[in-house]
Amino acid sequence: MDSDDEYMSALSSEDDIALDDSDNDDLSGGEEFDFDDEPPDLGIQKDDSQKKRAAYDISFKVYRPQDIQKQQDDLINEVNMILDIRKEEAAILLRHFRWNKERLIEDYMDKPRQVLEAAGLAQNGAKPPRLETIPGFVCDICCEDAPGLQSFAIKCGHRYCVDCYRHYLAQKIKEEGEAARIQCPSDGCNLIIDARSLDILMPSDLTERYHTLLNRTFVEDKETLKWCPAPDCQNAVECGVKKKDLDKVVPTVQCACGYRFCFGCILSDHQPAPCELVKRWLKKCADDSETANWISANTKECPKCNSTIEKNGGCNHMTCRKCRHEFCWMCMGLWSEHGTSWYNCNRFEEKSGTEARDAQAKSRVSLERYLHYYNRYANHEQSARLDKDIYVKTEKKMVQLQKESGMSWIEVQYLNSASQALQTCRQTLKWTYAFAFYLARNNLTEIFEDNQKDLEMAVENLSEMFEKPVADLADAKLKVDIMDKTSYCNKRRIILLEDTANNLANGAWTFNVDFMTPTTTSGSSSRR
Amino acid sequence: MASQKRIQKELAECTRSPPPGMSIALASESNLHKWHVVLQGPPNTPYAGGTFGLVVTLPVEYPFKAPAVTFATRIYHPNVTNDSQGSICLGALKPENWKPASKLLGVLEAVRALLVEPMPDDPLEARIAEEYKADRKEFEKNARAYVARYAKGQPKFDGEAGGAEAAKS
């Protein structure tokens, strides 16, 4: 293998691997690669900030648990210095302002007293909290009055014995999952217990849980941070795309764990379809609104009693089971008027039935249109699910291939790349069908459909090659072919995404529903 | 258990100076965690003239967890389920609002206040709440009919789900 070295060096990006190879080797399907002279930086959302970003590619940053902690600490330290308040108070204020440092500082400079009060902090100046033993003290929670009872109070002065305080905190933290906003135990007092007091009171076994909860509220409070939804992943992703931008961009991000998801709606990657459209499509597919369509496309109503009737074979002479009305299935007219032509309806042109037939035809077309898109959507979804199995098989194949052909681990990585390309491309294809369902026809749609067709063909081609038996895979020519196809698939996907994202950003698409005004779900004006 | 002292104190307070129209007693002498309250329907409400039974159940973790209060007597009210459970929707008893220093006296007063002024915007029975807002006369008529049917004479407590749920002390 003459390209081994490049293989190694470019391993971080599977797309680059394949591209490099296609440049070096003489290819069978070479004419498909006439855009190969472009720099190979189109390769997916790797963190290459110096290169210009593609329209579908948005900037984001992944935070690991320790980064989340550090970010909080930095903010707290900053506020601590600027406003000259204690760190634990800075933390409470920041949480109150949902970690919007600028607004906190501005408001605090303006009216410190109100800000402190609203955040559940009493006026400054009181001495730092500590445990005290006060003669004659009776705890209002447990009613204990033993002499020497240790007691504690935050700045509001509501004093309780230390056991009750600890019990209260344990319950809030352990059972209710509360951390950042635990209030004074007194009825109606909304003062928040600060971190310093918590440090004094908290049993050590709760500390970890407490900090986890604090981190959680930090991410949940910040609009620009979201948890990676992948199971067991503890990372958060930061992205600047706002809710109001979601009609212009599909903010797909990729966590360090590898999971790709939409920052806007936390569903898994649904490029090129915008969030609102996705929501609608999923709802449409989930409701049985289509059942009604099926009924109208496959049944007729008895002209007399309006019972719904499905014709399941037999001749056109219908007798309603309910009202015994006899009519013709073809023209919906009275059967008695058919005279002697029992098995043929020759009254088709008559006006009485025309209107009913028109309504029927319309509904049938709409159903077929939906099913056209749905079937393809569902097909790619299913294939994507199967891809997960394939991935497992791929790993086995790779091991087997290594054994049988004496190739090194690195030399069989192309199968992994192919498998990944299949998965991402299928995911994209799946959503192109939901997207297309809502597109109104124009020139842009034709370009879109061409792109869709090209990607689909590329994917099916690769998919077919990919499933060949291991013995064939060892063939050097097939290997090159697979690598070419992999890179071609990725390219086609990027071309499609570029095109859709650009048009979306420019507001160039025309949709047949008005979903870009993200108000109520009652987009009842929807035409199909 | 530390809570015994607190409950005893609260019980003493409540029996000594109960909220207007209420009398409080333990369901059984041996169990501090279950109280039976007899509530006279407040005057100038459709509930006037009725006698209602309330069951107060104190969880083992009391006062760190909120008590549960239910009506043992059927009542026609937007904030009480219209069934044999008699569950009450009371803000003060929600876990996020309950504080260990909150007192049962306050809870009982809140229940009574609910009879004086229902909260139809936070209903447990949406239909009754709707009626309360749209047709007050009809609501009062129905509430009075319930009083006449269920809330005359000494309230019975045996109807409610009994000892199984009662907290052990």
Side-chain angles (χ1 to χ4, degrees):
Chain A
M1 282 274 110
D2 50 349
S3 57
D4 274 356
D5 290 342
E6 287 156 42
Y7 228 175
M8 299 278 225
S9 60
L11 195 71
S12 59
S13 159
E14 63 258 25
D15 310 291
D16 289 355
I17 298 170
L19 276 175
D20 288 347
D21 268 67
S22 63
D23 282 335
N24 292 345
D25 295 302
D26 197 17
L27 300 169
S28 45
E31 71 277 2
E32 290 170 358
F33 291 86
D34 33 15
F35 33 68
D36 252 3
D37 38 6
E38 285 173 39
D41 69 318
L42 288 168
I44 316 300
Q45 294 75 349
K46 288 288 174 311
D47 216 356
D48 40 9
S49 44
Q50 73 274 24
K51 288 163 189 161
K52 80 165 174 57
R53 288 198 169 268
Y56 66 88
D57 194 6
I58 52 147
S59 69
F60 62 90
K61 199 174 159 202
V62 178
Y63 286 88
R64 284 160 219 277
Q66 62 269 31
D67 304 328
I68 300 171
Q69 183 62 53
K70 191 176 172 304
Q71 223 199 353
Q72 290 179 73
D73 292 345
D74 290 350
L75 279 164
I76 291 169
N77 286 336
E78 221 175 309
V79 170
N80 158 250
M81 271 171 345
I82 296 174
L83 296 185
D84 191 28
I85 51 177
R86 281 209 297 273
K87 279 188 190 173
E88 60 271 18
E89 288 172 338
I92 291 178
L93 284 176
L94 276 164
R95 280 184 200 115
H96 180 72
F97 279 85
R98 309 219 147 227
W99 298 92
N100 186 337
K101 184 189 70 194
E102 287 75 24
R103 231 191 72 214
L104 159 63
I105 292 170
E106 205 171 290
D107 281 19
Y108 187 85
M109 297 292 193
D110 225 21
K111 36 185 195 269
R113 186 189 288 261
Q114 283 98 315
V115 168
L116 286 173
E117 222 160 79
L121 282 170
Q123 269 296 305
N124 247 326
K127 49 187 188 299
R130 61 189 174 89
L131 296 180
E132 279 181 75
T133 311
I134 294 171
F137 168 76
V138 182
C139 173
D140 201 27
I141 294 176
C142 63
C143 303
E144 279 302 330
D145 54 359
L149 193 64
Q150 281 202 308
S151 67
F152 185 83
I154 51 172
K155 284 175 185 164
C156 54
H158 298 119
R159 185 164 288 279
Y160 302 100
C161 81
V162 72
D163 283 347
C164 283
Y165 235 115
R166 286 196 172 128
H167 196 119
Y168 173 64
L169 292 178
Q171 192 204 319
K172 284 279 168 201
I173 293 167
K174 252 199 229 154
E175 289 178 33
E176 292 171 30
E178 184 64 76
R181 295 180 184 87
I182 305 177
Q183 297 177 344
C184 161
S186 176
D187 198 14
C189 178
N190 63 359
L191 210 67
I192 287 171
I193 304 175
D194 57 283
R196 274 258 294 266
S197 302
L198 283 167
D199 282 343
I200 297 172
L201 293 165
M202 200 155 33
S204 55
D205 56 323
L206 282 180
T207 326
E208 198 189 320
R209 168 99 176 126
Y210 172 71
H211 284 288
T212 315
L213 287 171
L214 276 187
N215 276 353
R216 193 187 290 171
T217 49
F218 173 67
V219 173
E220 279 157 14
D221 279 354
K222 273 198 86 144
E223 237 178 280
T224 52
L225 271 180
K226 278 178 184 160
W227 291 112
C228 168
D232 291 335
C233 179
Q234 297 198 311
N235 300 336
V237 174
E238 184 177 45
C239 172
V241 173
K242 301 257 177 4
K243 225 181 170 87
K244 64 173 166 52
D245 303 326
L246 290 179
D247 57 343
K248 292 263 179 280
V249 64
V250 186
T252 305
V253 297
Q254 182 168 25
C255 178
C257 74
Y259 187 71
R260 296 162 51 78
F261 65 98
C262 168
F263 192 81
C265 60
I266 314 298
L267 291 172
S268 72
D269 173 22
H270 58 67
Q271 279 173 320
C275 297
E276 185 61 27
L277 186 153
V278 167
K279 205 169 98 194
R280 252 180 212 240
W281 173 259
L282 291 176
K283 185 166 182 298
K284 183 176 176 57
C285 297
D287 320 328
D288 47 10
S289 70
E290 292 310 321
T291 311
N293 260 343
W294 184 89
I295 288 173
S296 63
N298 293 284
T299 66
K300 292 181 181 179
E301 284 172 5
C302 166
K304 196 174 167 203
C305 72
N306 293 331
S307 303
T308 307
I309 296 168
E310 180 193 5
K311 186 177 183 315
N312 56 2
C315 75
N316 291 327
H317 180 178
M318 308 299 289
T319 306
C320 175
R321 288 267 286 274
K322 264 199 182 142
C323 69
R324 319 301 300 171
H325 178 68
E326 293 180 51
F327 63 98
C328 168
W329 182 258
M330 295 299 287
C331 70
M332 304 303 283
L334 272 177
W335 188 257
S336 55
E337 288 170 10
H338 275 59
T340 51
S341 59
W342 280 95
Y343 297 104
N344 255 320
C345 177
N346 52 6
R347 304 166 71 247
F348 196 76
E349 294 312 316
E350 266 194 33
K351 194 179 169 255
S352 65
T354 333
E355 275 173 33
R357 285 197 297 273
D358 278 357
Q360 183 107 18
K362 237 184 192 167
S363 147
R364 200 163 286 178
V365 167
S366 136
L367 178 64
E368 271 168 18
R369 180 165 185 276
Y370 169 68
L371 286 178
H372 168 90
Y373 290 109
Y374 180 74
N375 285 338
R376 281 154 184 80
Y377 166 87
N379 178 40
H380 283 295
E381 184 172 65
Q382 192 193 17
S383 304
R385 226 176 294 134
L386 293 175
D387 276 346
K388 277 191 184 146
D389 305 340
I390 287 179
Y391 184 73
V392 178
K393 282 189 210 143
T394 310
E395 286 192 319
K396 276 196 204 129
K397 263 188 197 173
M398 281 157 56
V399 174
Q400 217 177 334
L401 197 55
Q402 265 175 273
K403 272 195 208 133
E404 285 178 18
S405 63
M407 281 197 243
S408 67
W409 177 83
I410 213 85
E411 283 175 292
V412 296
Q413 284 307 303
Y414 73 96
L415 281 179
N416 193 9
S417 307
S419 157
Q420 302 232 320
L422 276 179
Q423 288 184 46
T424 29
C425 291
R426 277 245 151 82
Q427 179 87 354
T428 304
L429 272 173
K430 169 179 129 179
W431 284 108
T432 58
Y433 284 105
F435 185 65
F437 178 75
Y438 291 107
L439 277 184
R441 287 211 79 82
N442 56 27
N443 289 345
L444 291 176
T445 352
E446 273 177 34
I447 298 172
F448 169 75
E449 280 176 358
D450 281 348
N451 284 333
Q452 187 186 35
K453 193 181 76 196
D454 287 347
L455 176 59
E456 191 153 51
M457 263 164 55
V459 166
E460 295 307 337
N461 261 333
L462 178 60
S463 185
E464 199 186 326
M465 275 186 196
F466 187 69
E467 281 166 13
K468 292 230 161 98
V470 178
D472 294 5
L473 286 175
D475 176 33
K477 183 162 176 313
L478 185 63
K479 174 179 171 179
V480 171
D481 254 10
I482 287 183
M483 289 193 296
D484 291 348
K485 287 281 187 271
T486 303
S487 104
Y488 183 61
C489 279
N490 285 328
K491 282 214 155 185
R492 292 307 327 176
R493 174 172 171 271
I494 280 151
I495 289 168
L496 187 144
L497 289 182
E498 276 272 7
D499 176 59
T500 48
N502 275 326
N503 287 334
L504 192 65
N506 302 331
W509 292 115
T510 323
F511 296 100
N512 52 19
V513 284
D514 177 32
F515 62 83
M516 284 314 180
T517 42
T519 45
T520 50
T521 42
S522 64
S524 51
S525 63
S526 62
R527 282 163 278 135
R528 266 181 285 189
Chain B
M1 191 86 206
S3 63
Q4 301 294 56
K5 206 166 180 174
R6 151 97 183 232
I7 297 173
Q8 246 150 12
K9 198 174 165 192
E10 282 203 76
L11 183 64
E13 262 171 30
C14 286
T15 37
R16 198 180 333 114
S17 49
M22 284 196 195
S23 63
I24 291 135
L26 285 179
S28 78
E29 282 305 314
S30 57
N31 184 3
L32 274 173
H33 289 263
K34 199 170 196 104
W35 298 15
H36 282 173
V37 179
V38 178
L39 162 64
Q40 304 297 333
N44 304 322
T45 70
Y47 307 107
T51 310
F52 300 90
L54 287 171
V55 180
V56 179
T57 312
L58 308 181
V60 187
E61 296 91 341
Y62 185 83
F64 295 98
K65 281 213 175 135
V69 185
T70 55
F71 270 91
T73 310
R74 291 280 297 258
I75 182 168
Y76 191 83
H77 191 286
N79 307 98
V80 182
T81 56
N82 190 12
D83 57 18
S84 57
Q85 304 288 317
S87 309
I88 311 176
C89 174
L90 205 60
L93 296 183
K94 296 214 172 101
E96 65 269 26
N97 294 334
W98 177 259
K99 294 285 193 72
S102 308
K103 296 284 152 62
L104 273 167
L105 202 60
V107 172
L108 293 176
E109 270 161 7
V111 173
R112 188 178 182 276
L114 209 54
L115 295 198
V116 177
E117 194 167 351
M119 297 197 284
D121 291 326
D122 193 13
L124 219 48
E125 290 289 343
R127 195 195 57 75
I128 300 179
E130 208 43 56
E131 186 182 85
Y132 179 84
K133 283 202 277 196
D135 189 351
R136 187 66 60 88
K137 272 221 169 83
E138 181 66 21
F139 165 78
E140 289 181 354
K141 201 184 103 199
N142 284 329
R144 264 189 230 105
Y146 264 63
V147 170
R149 194 162 155 205
Y150 296 107
K152 292 295 177 190
Q154 215 36 39
K156 293 191 187 68
F157 289 100
D158 45 351
E160 42 90 19
E165 267 188 317
K168 288 172 221 89
S169 47

